[in-house]
Amino acid sequence: MANKSRNWGYGAFAALLIGTMSLAGCGDGNGNAGSSSSSPEVSASASAPASASSSASPSASAAESQPYELKWLKAQDISLPYDPSKDAVKQAIEKKLNIKIVPEMVDVQQYKTKLNLKMSSSDIPDVARIDFADDFQKYAQQGAFVDLTDLLNEKDTPNILKEVPPEVFEQAKVNGRIYGIPYQGGPGAGYRWNLVLRKDYMEQVGASAPKTLDDYYNLLKKIKQEKPDVIPLGGYTAQIGQVKYANNSFDNIFGAFGVTPGFFTEKDGKFSNYDIDPRMRDALLFLQKMYKEGLIDKEFATIKEEQLRAKLYSGKLFSWMGWWSTANDYDTQVETNELIKSGKLAADGKLPNQAEQPFKYLTLLGSLVGPDGKAVAPMGAPFSQMNAISAKTKDPKRVLSIIEDSLSPDNQMLTVWGIEGEDYNLVDGKLKTVTDLVDPQTQQDKNGNFRGTQSYLFAPGLNGWPHYLESLPLRFSQALDVAINNPYQITDASNYLDSPTKIAKLVELNTMRDSVFTQIIMGGDIKKFDDFVEKWKSQGGNQILSELEESFKKKAGK
């Protein structure tokens, strides 16, 4: 595993998230990082540091020397405590970079909805971190963002151009123009989910880790029979209409059938979508069978992730799909509850940090394979979001200079890792994060400070954050190793292709899909799938496929 770790293509920000993880992960399910309390869905928006040239120059105007105020929409797991006014890292960033961040908190699962509401009003964040697919392209064409095409150059923005290669900016263009800076929240694309199982429960029923879907199904049946109070497979809802709603709970089931919800496919220039693939019908029938047999949590379609966490912490859950960086905290929480049950928990009710110890209660697996020995695992695009400057901000050029200055090596260390000597140390030139700095219950350090590392940053993470490889403790390296070395990863064939109908209609189609798929899993007539396929095609799907094919030909020079 040590050898594999040197080949990773994804950021190691997880060590800073200890005790603050949530099952959904830190982004949108494509591997995006977020705040110290974020999850794998969409991350927070704007970040910024003030221009060194504008704030340090002797000739700078009085206005330019004042901290620049930035409105900020910050995605936050509202089930965890957080007060931005007591965030030591935020304050350090503001002081060093001569800015004043004015954050507005929004629940991570409502971030996209809230941002869209703001985009349709005049109360737009100065910089918005926004999904590239659909939303960014739509608003860019409406004139919502500053056109950066003529503002990006080696003289004025060398840090930005160092962080984002020309070919990536080329992919990010809308109608041939640049309206934002690509962001991935950790280097590279990839699959970041694991199938997580209670290792102790498997041992108690005399089973070993499954490799195939049939093995897994039989194991769930055994758990159901021998541990009737334990839910074999848990799930929860994300925001309806999003890809993550359909696949995060049952990723491995769909994948073993060779499909994954929401992804477009391409073969010989012809496009389709897994949502209408006949194999999706088979996967839904299998899930329906599992649900009927009591192998799937009856509440999967209604509960939120914090409710699922309560079930797994209390020992009522055997397996679930987990974002790679969450497993350490979950193992510790499970151990805590087991010690409470046995009366052996320490008097202070706390366990020492476990990140450098092997997992005690959990086993992490990659994809389950189907009868043909194959599977699919949906990996993210090379970038999935954009940092875009609002056309309504009072000084777009200064905001761009803030972004530029934030990407200097020293400032990236602050915005990504926090304060040296507090959040991390450099030992013989290698970064070691302080993993026991924050109490997982209060989310505060011993001085009562919150520490929003990776909450207020622009660093794109496309090619790696500074020192990211060396920062992971053992458990995180094991979890990431399983996820990113999944050999069945696939990308969405529609990445960066143009389709006006996709922008206009995809959320509507996804919402219809989520409703129909959920109904079928919970016992609905499978004919609903056939009806869905026809509606998907007639209500915009076929037009999307046609537009993707034309865009594909255009980009291929045909």
Side-chain angles (χ1 to χ4, degrees):
M1 187 169 301
N3 292 332
K4 288 183 180 179
S5 70
R6 293 295 163 256
N7 296 319
W8 288 344
Y10 189 75
F13 56 89
L16 299 176
L17 307 182
I18 292 174
T20 61
M21 315 295 187
S22 61
L23 198 65
C26 351
D28 54 1
N30 296 329
N32 301 312
S35 73
S36 62
S37 56
S38 69
S39 43
E41 70 305 292
V42 175
S43 186
S45 113
S47 3
S51 165
S53 60
S54 65
S55 61
S57 170
S59 61
S61 67
E64 289 177 322
S65 66
Q66 295 299 312
Y68 193 91
E69 186 174 287
L70 284 170
K71 291 186 295 183
W72 201 300
L73 191 65
K74 184 184 185 307
Q76 183 73 24
D77 182 348
I78 62 173
S79 70
L80 299 173
Y82 177 73
D83 182 350
S85 70
K86 297 180 180 179
D87 188 329
V89 177
K90 171 180 173 289
Q91 292 168 9
I93 292 171
E94 290 176 321
K95 181 178 179 180
K96 185 175 182 183
L97 303 171
N98 195 31
I99 60 175
K100 177 63 178 176
I101 300 170
V102 183
E104 178 180 346
M105 302 294 127
V106 58
D107 181 66
V108 288
Q109 295 190 28
Q110 297 299 317
Y111 175 81
K112 185 171 182 177
T113 298
K114 183 72 171 180
L115 180 58
N116 281 329
L117 288 173
K118 285 185 169 293
M119 293 301 302
S120 62
S121 71
S122 59
D123 187 26
I124 304 174
D126 289 288
V127 180
R129 184 166 298 158
I130 186 168
D131 287 346
F132 178 83
D134 311 331
D135 285 343
F136 171 77
Q137 297 177 73
K138 175 177 66 178
Y139 291 124
Q141 294 179 78
Q142 293 174 359
F145 305 129
V146 174
D147 186 339
L148 304 177
T149 312
D150 299 326
L151 301 178
L152 298 172
N153 55 73
E154 290 289 350
K155 178 178 179 293
D156 298 318
T157 59
N159 289 330
I160 293 175
L161 296 183
K162 182 179 180 181
E163 290 291 317
V164 184
E167 63 270 18
V168 174
F169 268 124
E170 192 64 32
Q171 290 176 312
K173 285 182 177 180
V174 176
N175 294 334
R177 308 295 291 179
I178 299 172
Y179 291 97
I181 301 169
Y183 174 88
Q184 182 65 13
Y191 187 61
R192 299 295 177 261
W193 292 84
N194 296 314
L195 176 60
V196 188
L197 307 93
R198 283 287 296 265
K199 177 170 58 177
D200 55 330
Y201 288 180
M202 279 197 298
E203 293 171 350
Q204 290 167 18
V205 301
S208 57
K211 296 181 179 180
T212 70
L213 180 59
D214 285 344
D215 291 342
Y216 180 57
Y217 170 72
N218 290 327
L219 174 57
L220 296 187
K221 289 181 68 175
K222 194 167 189 177
I223 291 291
K224 176 69 176 176
Q225 180 179 355
E226 299 192 26
K227 289 183 171 292
D229 294 331
V230 174
I231 300 166
L233 171 59
Y236 71 99
T237 66
Q239 186 171 319
I240 196 166
Q242 304 304 305
V243 171
K244 185 51 56 192
Y245 179 93
N247 75 4
N248 65 260
S249 294
F250 309 124
D251 222 6
N252 261 287
I253 310 298
F254 287 121
F257 282 87
V259 295
T260 190
F263 268 40
F264 287 86
T265 63
E266 179 271 325
K267 185 176 181 180
D268 298 328
K270 294 295 182 181
F271 279 71
S272 187
N273 189 289
Y274 280 129
D275 288 350
I276 60 172
D277 191 301
R279 293 172 294 178
M280 183 64 75
R281 190 181 196 273
D282 297 334
L284 291 170
L285 280 173
F286 190 82
L287 284 163
Q288 184 184 80
K289 174 185 176 182
M290 293 177 65
Y291 184 86
K292 184 178 180 180
E293 293 176 355
L295 304 182
I296 295 174
D297 189 355
K298 297 296 184 185
E299 297 183 304
F300 87 88
T302 57
I303 64 172
K304 300 299 182 185
E305 60 175 311
E306 57 267 24
Q307 295 168 294
L308 184 64
R309 287 199 301 267
K311 291 183 180 186
L312 72 91
Y313 292 166
S314 64
K316 295 180 179 178
L317 187 61
F318 170 65
S319 67
W320 64 94
M321 290 303 301
W323 185 248
W324 69 273
S325 61
T326 62
N328 170 70
D329 189 46
Y330 293 157
D331 198 285
T332 299
Q333 292 288 349
V334 169
E335 182 179 6
T336 300
N337 277 279
E338 291 298 322
L339 290 172
I340 291 173
K341 292 176 185 177
S342 64
K344 296 179 180 179
L345 185 64
D348 62 3
K350 299 179 180 179
L351 289 176
N353 183 269
Q354 312 275 17
E356 292 289 0
Q357 299 181 23
F359 288 105
K360 298 177 182 178
Y361 286 89
L362 303 181
T363 291
L364 280 58
L365 302 178
S367 289
L368 301 168
V369 299
D372 59 357
K374 298 179 181 179
V376 299
M379 65 184 289
F383 66 90
S384 58
Q385 296 175 307
M386 300 288 285
N387 282 319
I389 300 174
S390 168
K392 294 183 179 294
T393 197
K394 60 182 180 289
D395 191 343
K397 288 187 177 181
R398 186 170 178 190
V399 174
L400 182 62
S401 74
I402 287 170
I403 298 174
E404 166 65 18
D405 287 349
S406 78
L407 298 183
S408 71
D410 285 348
N411 290 341
Q412 283 199 54
M413 288 298 292
L414 174 61
T415 60
V416 174
W417 299 118
I419 301 170
E420 185 175 3
E422 297 180 25
D423 297 281
Y424 72 91
N425 293 293
L426 291 176
V427 181
D428 296 329
K430 293 186 177 182
L431 184 140
K432 298 294 181 184
T433 56
V434 180
T435 57
D436 58 355
L437 180 61
V438 173
D439 185 313
Q441 300 300 319
T442 66
Q443 303 299 310
Q444 294 171 281
D445 63 22
K446 63 182 180 180
N447 296 318
N449 296 316
F450 294 93
R451 314 199 67 90
T453 50
Q454 300 171 27
S455 288
Y456 305 99
L457 84 164
F458 281 119
L462 300 175
N463 299 310
W465 287 335
H467 295 279
Y468 79 96
L469 277 177
E470 66 212 41
S471 68
L472 283 184
L474 177 64
R475 284 188 180 176
F476 289 93
S477 68
Q478 291 178 336
L480 185 57
D481 184 73
V482 171
I484 68 173
N485 286 297
N486 188 315
Y488 303 106
Q489 299 179 64
I490 61 166
T491 58
D492 188 329
S494 70
N495 286 339
Y496 316 131
L497 296 178
D498 297 324
S499 170
T501 307
K502 181 171 178 274
I503 294 173
K505 301 289 291 185
L506 192 61
V507 170
E508 178 184 326
L509 294 175
N510 287 349
T511 301
M512 177 171 60
R513 173 203 65 208
D514 295 341
S515 176
V516 171
F517 285 14
T518 301
Q519 291 175 45
I520 293 172
I521 293 170
M522 298 179 73
D525 193 328
I526 193 59
K527 291 181 181 179
K528 291 178 180 290
F529 176 77
D530 304 320
D531 294 339
F532 160 75
V533 170
E534 293 306 313
K535 289 180 180 178
W536 189 94
K537 292 178 178 179
S538 64
Q539 295 180 17
N542 277 345
Q543 184 63 26
I544 293 172
L545 299 180
S546 177
E547 291 169 359
L548 290 176
E549 289 168 9
E550 287 301 313
S551 179
F552 180 80
K553 291 178 183 177
K554 185 176 180 181
K555 288 208 168 189
K558 296 180 179 179

